[in-house]
Structure formats: C-alpha cells, structure tokens
Amino acid sequence: KAGVTQTPRYLIKTRGQQVTLSCSPISGHRSVSWYQQTPGQGLQFLFEYFSETQRNKGNFPGRFSGRQFSNSRSEMNVSTLELGDSALYLCASKRTVNTEAFFGQGTRLTVV
Amino acid sequence: GQQLNQSPQSMFIQEGEDVSMNCTSSSIFNTWLWYKQDPGEGPVLLIALYKAGELTSNGRLTAQFGITRKDSFLNISASIPSDVGIYFCAGPSMNRDDKIIFGKGTRLHILP
C-alpha cells in the first residue's frame, strides 16, 4: 500500500511568487492535514480537509490556502511568497478524522 | 486549547545507552502517538497507544499510556546511531475539532 506522496520534494521560489504543493494521501484515507515546519518551531498546523471540506484552520495569513479534490488529493497554495515562508511543508493523511496521521516526506520550500 | 509538553527538549547520550523521554498535558487524551522524524524527512509513526495503562513495544522502543491519561513516556533501549532525530508525541484533540495536537519534540543526539 503506497504511503503519502508529496510533490515536489524541493522547490526554490523568489519573493512575491506563488507556489502550489500537492499531496496524495494513502488510498482510502479521506482526511488530509498540512503543517509548516521551520527550524526550532515544531509542527505548525495550517489546515485540515475531510471529504473536500476544510474542517480546521490554523493561525496563518490568508496567503495560505488549500483545497481537496474528490479523490482526496489535496493542494496547498501560498501566494505572494515571503522569505519567512521558507520551510518544510508536511502533509498527513488519516483514514477518518480521529485516527492516526501518516506523513509524507514533505516539500522543502526555499524562498530567495 | 490542549497542549502537549515534551521533555527534555534535547538530549545527548552515548551510543548503547538507554533513553527515556516523556510527554505531559494538563488535559486528558484518549490516544497517544509517538513519531520520529529524521532530518529533512516527514515524521514516521512509531507507536500508538489507545488505553490508559497500556504498555506497547516496537523493537527497542517501549511506550506507555499514563494511567491518568495526561502523560506518556517513550523509552529506547541500547541506542544506536540511527536513533538520532526528533521524537514527537501527539494525540487527537478532545475538542470537537478533531485536530491532532503535537508536542514540540525531543531532539536526540548520539555521541560516538
């Protein structure tokens, strides 16, 4: 059974650009959550989607958005990139809302 | 909101030593999860605990769900170099938002 797949693994963007990251959850999992991880900051929750609906949202500006498709794949978008957006972005899938989360390998975004 | 406090924040040990780390909360959890994150990778689920008092092993790793449901510990026996990484405890929120709450992690360093 394939794990959580995130693409791309690495990305370099310049300030002011926008970026879209993709996450394919484990087959049969309907919940996808996104986290931002910067050095020393732990896992900062961005948002969670379940059955194409956003269930939860963390404390991030409106430049961060996401969506989930009918096949449970999810994308997150960051517009008007800032240097401080450089981070490892992690996606986690859950079978349903109150079960264990399984993470992808992450997308390392560098904003220059 | 619910928070998980992990201690210690970091530890330096000699190869072959046993390791103990713990996670506490001021509120109860019904499930405790322990993850390990290697540098530049996504966290990997090590052990899941579902019942107060439960003691579960996974190879050299042992974790326990505290009887008060407000704490959990993770032990690693006979540490080896590949145990290096960040260990996170986590648990599904008891609020109705169904989020998974993560601790800030314990960073394990192993001296040769």
Side-chain angles (χ1 to χ4, degrees):
Chain A
K1 189 159 145 176
V4 180
T5 304
Q6 289 189 246
T7 57
R9 283 294 312 274
Y10 303 94
L11 205 48
I12 300 176
K13 291 284 190 177
T14 55
R15 277 183 298 174
Q17 286 187 311
Q18 73 160 13
V19 67
T20 299
L21 311 181
S22 179
C23 173
S24 293
I26 292 171
S27 177
H29 286 200
R30 295 165 63 191
S31 166
V32 173
S33 301
W34 289 90
Y35 296 83
Q36 182 196 65
Q37 187 178 33
T38 52
Q41 289 299 312
L43 296 165
Q44 304 294 315
F45 174 76
L46 281 155
F47 26 65
E48 178 179 7
Y49 289 88
F50 181 80
S51 293
E52 300 178 69
T53 301
Q54 186 180 90
R55 286 183 57 89
N56 291 297
K57 191 175 189 311
N59 295 322
F60 278 81
R63 299 186 297 108
F64 291 82
S65 62
R67 59 178 175 168
Q68 186 180 34
F69 302 96
S70 59
N71 62 358
S72 294
R73 190 177 71 85
S74 177
E75 290 181 346
M76 68 162 279
N77 184 277
V78 188
S79 62
T80 319
L81 284 165
E82 301 176 359
L83 295 179
D85 296 333
S86 296
L88 181 67
Y89 289 87
L90 292 162
C91 160
S93 83
K94 297 187 290 185
R95 184 171 48 82
T96 183
V97 291
N98 207 24
T99 55
E100 305 91 342
F102 295 88
F103 285 85
Q105 291 182 297
T107 293
R108 169 74 63 186
L109 172 65
T110 302
V111 182
V112 296
Chain B
Q2 289 186 292
Q3 287 187 319
L4 291 173
N5 302 304
Q6 286 191 250
S7 63
Q9 283 188 328
S10 65
M11 6 181 13
F12 290 81
I13 63 167
Q14 297 283 347
E15 184 178 345
E17 287 185 356
D18 296 342
V19 174
S20 185
M21 59 188 78
N22 74 322
C23 187
T24 60
S25 174
S26 58
S27 54
I28 63 173
F29 280 80
N30 283 334
T31 298
W32 289 87
L33 307 170
W34 284 94
Y35 291 85
K36 183 199 175 202
Q37 185 178 28
D38 291 328
E41 302 289 330
V44 173
L45 182 65
L46 297 173
I47 292 178
L49 302 159
Y50 303 103
K51 282 173 54 176
E54 179 182 354
L55 185 73
T56 296
S57 293
N58 178 5
R60 295 179 294 106
L61 277 59
T62 302
Q64 184 157 29
F65 191 143
I67 201 74
T68 65
R69 297 199 287 160
K70 293 183 178 181
D71 62 349
S72 176
F73 71 74
L74 176 71
N75 286 346
I76 305 173
S77 63
S79 58
I80 60 177
S82 61
D83 291 333
V84 164
I86 305 175
Y87 291 81
F88 292 99
C89 65
S93 169
M94 295 295 285
N95 302 324
R96 292 186 182 177
D97 56 17
D98 297 319
K99 285 196 296 191
I100 290 188
I101 312 296
F102 283 87
K104 291 191 182 300
T106 292
R107 188 179 290 271
L108 180 63
H109 304 266
I110 296 182
L111 305 170

